[in-house]
Amino acid sequence: MKIAASVLLAVCAVALARADDGYRLWLRYDRMTQTPLHAAYAEAASTIVLASPVAEDSATGAAVSAELNQGLGGLLGVTPQIRRETVQSHPDLGDEGYAIDWERRDGHPAFVITANRNVGVLYGAFALLRELRLGRPLDHFALRSTPRIQRRMLDHWDNLNRTVERGYAGGSLWEWFVLPNFESPRYRDYARACASVGLNGAVVTNVNADALVLTPEWLSKVAALASAFRPYGVRVYLTARFSAPLEIGGLKTADPLDPAVAAWWRAKAREIHELIPDFGGFLVKANSEGQPGPQSYGRSHADGANMLADALAPVGGIVLWRAFVYEADARRDRCMQAYDEFEPYDGKFRPNVVVQIKNGPLDFQPREPFHPLFGAMPRTPLALEVQITQEYLGQGTHLAFLAPLWKETLDSDTFRPGRGSTVARVVDGSLSHNPISVIAGVANTGTDRNWTGHPLAQANWYAFGRLAWDHTLSSAQIASEWTHLTFGDDPRVTAPLERMLLESRETVVDYMDPLGLTGVFAEGHHYGPEPWLDKGRPDWTSVYYHHADSKGLGFDRTQSGSNALEQYAPVIAGIWRDEATCPEDLILWFHHVAWDRTMASGRPFWDEFCRHYQHGVDTVRGWRRTWDSLKAYVDPETHAHVSSLLAIQERDACWWRDASLLYFQTFSGRPLPPGVEPPAHDLPYYRAIQLHWMPGDPSGK
Ligand code: GCW
């Protein structure tokens, strides 16, 4: 007896000390502590009724059963009896929605998941497990949920050589060389994680596209990925290189109005559909950053998109046509060019074309105003594209929880046609009653064992899925859910960690580019500061964006400058146009602000600007202390990993502060205000820093 007990203790100790490699993401299903609530859960969870009008589809049905068995077994030690019932369809639940009820069946409590399709049952199963894990009271189990946006997608910038453009978590998950013969179990685990947060689409290839993926040999590999994802409701999409008819089709042109070109794409769409019956469609980056497109043939974006749309319509596919375009010579403010190019084509796209727009008019900066196109194309379905991967927010090493950034865009009011016309309502289609709605996040996944490199960056994958499903959720709720699912319920851990997550995006803004500053990132890899960058193509320099001079700092986008404000509704443009009413967190985006301008705090602009950098550094230092204090309560491997990354983040925050302030001080000529630490080195030291072989850098140098 004595021996048995000590063996048991030893086993427990080993289990506790076992390092957690992060592979399980937020789907841990560790046993919950026993409370009366959990006993009641266990009783109800021993019978799960799956109520649906459709017959069980074996693959998704098996995924549901597997999830419930694993989840309920793990959380509660219960092996559920899973019963299927055929019921009438529930129109209010749509194709993907679900209801979860706690009812009495045959005198016993049971959970009933109702949905019209198997994938809805699957989403319901994940929701049930999440809510149990989060401790929802039983009498609150009358849940109804339907997604607000139909296509909730991850865009992978994965190359066929398995590098990932702007990827900071290792290589591409797709093992192209051994596909289709070998299907890595990770494909299933990837799709399962996506489904657990409601994501239902994956563009598996980079928008800087390679036509090779459209050849028969490669399509068979894509088909294998599609079949691994299918049970979890994740449809595959591909990027289409516009010049593919030339490169792999033997044609002499890719002119979208050439009948042979259109016929080639029609045949290609049919070929893909035969291999992948639920193929989602094409994502296209055209006439942007060197990618080919219809303008190479004197045709418009609409000509190009419509030609592909006609090819895909017979097989039920859509075209996601990106609006991330700007001309090479940049005579006009770069941030105005996408609007110039797309707005005239509103209403001229086929019904199965969606124009995909980045959250801001520049390029995934830590803070930008919302893209003016969201208020300008009421007759076109518009997709919101955000970056989950942190190209401009510290990449793989900085903590930056991005729900607040995405919410800021989604909640922005375009005031077109009137108040309440938020970006969220444009994107979810409710404003213009568009039949298609899409949201896309550039993925942060890779071959790292923990999927996302930075252990806390898992929160961004989670948050994107949750917001894509329901953009009305708050950042705080999402942060809380993720923290509890990932780190358990000890408030000594969850409270400080949630606080860190919620502060983090603003903190990165503070030490990188406060008060609406943008475009100050190092050339190529975009990791550190390079505000002095003034060589090369003008709109790829930093000086193009910050306009620092002896008078002040910032890009004048009022009538006296580029007048980019004219692209916004008069109400919002009016607020932003006046320096006195423009929110300070965007002031340098819209105005050239004098160094001595008095800010809301009463301080001169220069002092305020400097204090933001210092505040960013101080906050990261505070996180390090907080994180150290959690050591006893967090898995050791994760704790050590995050500790090291926070040390890097502090080092980099100091680097950003010192390099930026020394550089801008050459224009302001003012001393650092009290409380801002003097830089550790001089400006030439920072200007000489060069980083090589940075992860995710397509130039590879
Ligand atoms: O943010 C920029 C990136 C490019 C990227 C481009 C785009 C895929 O620096 O690497 O290319 O945006 O969105 O097309």
Side-chain angles (χ1 to χ4, degrees):
M1 195 58 201
K2 226 174 164 187
I3 293 172
S6 62
V7 168
L8 194 68
L9 275 177
V11 169
C12 290
V14 168
L16 275 177
R18 197 196 57 198
D20 193 322
D21 62 16
Y23 189 83
R24 296 177 300 162
L25 295 160
W26 47 86
L27 299 169
R28 285 162 195 254
Y29 300 147
D30 291 333
R31 186 66 49 85
M32 299 195 285
T33 39
Q34 287 307 304
T35 65
L37 175 64
H38 295 135
Y41 278 174
E43 194 189 3
S46 54
T47 307
I48 306 282
V49 179
L50 307 180
S52 163
V54 291
E56 180 202 340
D57 134 290
S58 57
T60 303
V64 171
S65 304
E67 201 64 38
L68 289 170
N69 280 315
Q70 185 187 342
L72 297 173
L75 294 171
L76 301 166
V78 165
T79 307
Q81 196 207 6
I82 300 174
R83 279 200 271 155
R84 294 176 199 269
E85 284 179 6
T86 310
V87 293
Q88 297 281 304
S89 104
H90 289 65
D92 52 322
L93 293 179
D95 279 349
E96 296 179 305
Y98 57 82
I100 304 175
D101 294 287
W102 177 59
E103 290 176 5
R104 293 198 85 80
R105 290 291 166 109
D106 307 330
H108 297 286
F111 285 114
V112 182
I113 301 175
T114 309
N116 291 327
R117 288 179 52 223
N118 289 304
V119 73
V121 177
L122 179 68
Y123 293 143
F126 278 117
L128 172 63
L129 293 166
R130 178 175 66 234
E131 295 299 332
L132 292 174
R133 173 64 193 76
L134 294 174
R136 175 180 285 269
L138 271 174
D139 51 2
H140 290 200
F141 270 100
L143 290 173
R144 302 277 173 282
S145 191
T146 55
R148 290 174 190 269
I149 297 177
Q150 293 160 356
R151 300 190 191 226
R152 305 171 299 277
M153 332 235 314
L154 289 187
D155 288 3
H156 292 267
W157 287 355
D158 291 22
N159 298 313
L160 302 186
N161 66 3
R162 297 194 68 197
T163 59
V164 181
E165 183 157 350
R166 312 306 178 183
Y168 312 105
S172 169
L173 287 167
W174 327 133
E175 299 184 29
W176 293 113
F177 180 65
V178 287
L179 278 166
N181 306 64
F182 173 65
E183 285 185 26
S184 161
R186 257 189 118 146
Y187 306 149
R188 186 198 80 103
D189 295 343
Y190 161 84
R192 171 175 168 252
C194 285
S196 75
V197 287
L199 295 168
N200 66 2
V203 183
V204 294
T205 47
N206 190 354
V207 287
N208 289 332
D210 189 333
L212 193 63
V213 78
L214 300 175
T215 59
E217 183 193 347
W218 283 78
L219 286 174
S220 71
K221 299 170 189 283
V222 178
L225 287 180
S227 64
F229 300 168
R230 192 166 293 120
Y232 287 91
V234 178
R235 292 169 80 174
V236 159
Y237 299 66
L238 289 173
T239 47
R241 185 162 165 89
F242 205 76
S243 50
L246 290 164
E247 289 159 12
I248 59 166
L251 300 191
K252 297 229 157 26
T253 177
D255 181 348
L257 299 193
D258 186 310
V261 171
W264 187 85
W265 282 109
R266 267 201 310 278
K268 188 52 72 183
R270 269 200 309 274
E271 179 189 344
I272 300 175
H273 179 68
E274 266 159 36
L275 289 167
I276 308 169
D278 52 357
F279 178 62
F282 291 137
L283 170 64
V284 188
K285 172 176 179 178
N287 294 116
S288 165
E289 301 186 332
Q291 293 298 300
Q295 292 175 338
S296 323
Y297 303 92
R299 314 298 184 193
S300 70
H301 284 293
D303 292 331
N306 289 342
M307 181 274 294
L308 288 178
D310 290 342
L312 285 165
V315 299
I318 65 168
V319 174
L320 295 151
W321 194 269
R322 293 177 91 224
F324 179 67
V325 298
Y326 53 99
E327 275 180 35
D329 66 347
R331 271 165 309 212
R332 189 143 153 94
D333 178 353
R334 163 166 165 188
C335 294
M336 300 173 73
Q337 296 172 25
Y339 184 103
D340 291 348
E341 285 201 44
F342 277 86
E343 187 272 342
Y345 292 103
D346 185 31
K348 302 206 165 73
F349 291 100
R350 299 280 191 271
N352 59 331
V353 174
V354 179
V355 172
Q356 183 160 312
I357 305 168
K358 291 189 182 182
N359 55 290
L362 180 54
D363 189 9
F364 298 138
Q365 303 294 288
R367 171 167 281 117
E368 296 183 43
F370 72 87
H371 200 300
L373 273 176
F374 286 113
M377 299 185 70
R379 290 178 294 163
T380 310
L382 302 179
L384 170 63
E385 178 181 310
V386 300
Q387 232 181 13
I388 309 171
T389 193
Q390 294 168 228
E391 177 180 357
Y392 295 99
L393 286 111
Q395 303 188 355
T397 56
H398 294 201
L399 164 62
F401 177 59
L402 298 177
L405 191 165
W406 305 329
K407 289 282 288 179
E408 198 170 281
T409 303
L410 286 160
D411 295 344
S412 292
D413 198 338
T414 69
F415 286 95
R416 283 200 166 125
R419 184 178 292 279
S421 311
T422 58
V423 172
R425 295 195 56 218
V426 173
V427 172
D428 72 14
S430 62
L431 193 65
S432 304
H433 308 292
N434 287 326
I436 311 182
S437 55
V438 182
I439 188 167
V442 180
N444 65 347
T445 50
T447 47
D448 280 4
R449 178 74 189 157
N450 72 5
W451 301 90
T452 57
H454 197 308
L456 305 182
Q458 294 181 353
N460 286 329
W461 185 6
Y462 182 86
F464 176 73
R466 296 289 285 139
L467 277 179
W469 182 277
D470 183 357
H471 53 68
T472 68
L473 294 174
S474 69
S475 299
Q477 176 174 340
I478 297 171
S480 165
E481 286 181 10
W482 179 80
T483 305
H484 283 262
L485 295 172
T486 308
F487 286 90
D489 298 323
D490 186 341
R492 286 171 302 190
V493 177
T494 55
L497 188 50
E498 285 169 40
R499 200 171 52 242
M500 283 168 60
L501 290 176
L502 291 171
E503 282 171 356
S504 57
R505 181 279 190 128
E506 203 60 44
T507 298
V508 174
V509 171
D510 276 338
Y511 64 70
M512 285 188 182
D513 52 2
L515 298 171
L517 186 69
T518 35
V520 286
F521 292 81
E523 194 178 8
H525 56 71
H526 299 158
Y527 184 77
E530 197 175 346
W532 46 84
L533 177 63
D534 60 0
K535 300 218 170 39
R537 194 179 140 164
D539 59 345
W540 284 359
T541 67
S542 301
V543 295
Y544 177 92
Y545 295 100
H546 64 63
H547 290 250
D549 60 20
S550 59
K551 292 202 209 74
L553 180 64
F555 197 129
D556 180 1
R557 291 190 164 99
T558 69
Q559 286 103 321
S560 50
S562 75
N563 203 19
L565 279 163
E566 74 182 359
Q567 297 181 336
Y568 291 94
V571 186
I572 188 80
I575 297 169
W576 287 341
R577 182 172 295 118
D578 184 349
E579 245 193 73
T581 51
C582 181
E584 287 188 354
D585 60 7
L586 284 175
I587 200 160
L588 298 176
W589 179 279
F590 289 114
H591 297 275
H592 192 65
V593 177
W595 297 115
D596 60 358
R597 176 192 190 270
T598 306
M599 303 297 281
S601 61
R603 284 187 279 268
F605 167 68
W606 167 253
D607 290 16
E608 186 82 6
F609 183 66
C610 295
R611 290 169 65 107
H612 274 276
Y613 286 91
Q614 184 64 46
H615 186 250
V617 169
D618 292 343
T619 308
V620 177
R621 286 190 183 138
W623 296 344
R624 291 192 66 191
R625 286 191 297 273
T626 304
W627 187 255
D628 282 348
S629 74
L630 305 184
K631 191 164 182 186
Y633 320 118
V634 172
D635 156 75
E637 187 172 319
T638 310
H639 191 272
H641 192 178
V642 172
S643 284
S644 313
L645 293 171
L646 288 173
I648 293 175
Q649 189 164 4
E650 183 189 344
R651 177 201 70 193
D652 290 351
C654 292
W655 172 27
W656 271 94
R657 178 198 59 194
D658 295 350
S660 307
L661 293 183
L662 281 170
Y663 170 73
F664 289 119
Q665 199 174 31
T666 65
F667 299 95
S668 80
R670 292 168 163 252
L672 297 181
V676 176
E677 289 163 20
H681 304 277
D682 61 8
L683 185 55
Y685 170 91
Y686 293 107
R687 290 184 68 134
I689 294 177
Q690 280 195 16
L691 302 176
H692 299 282
W693 302 114
M694 292 296 283
D697 180 2
S699 73
K701 281 198 266 12

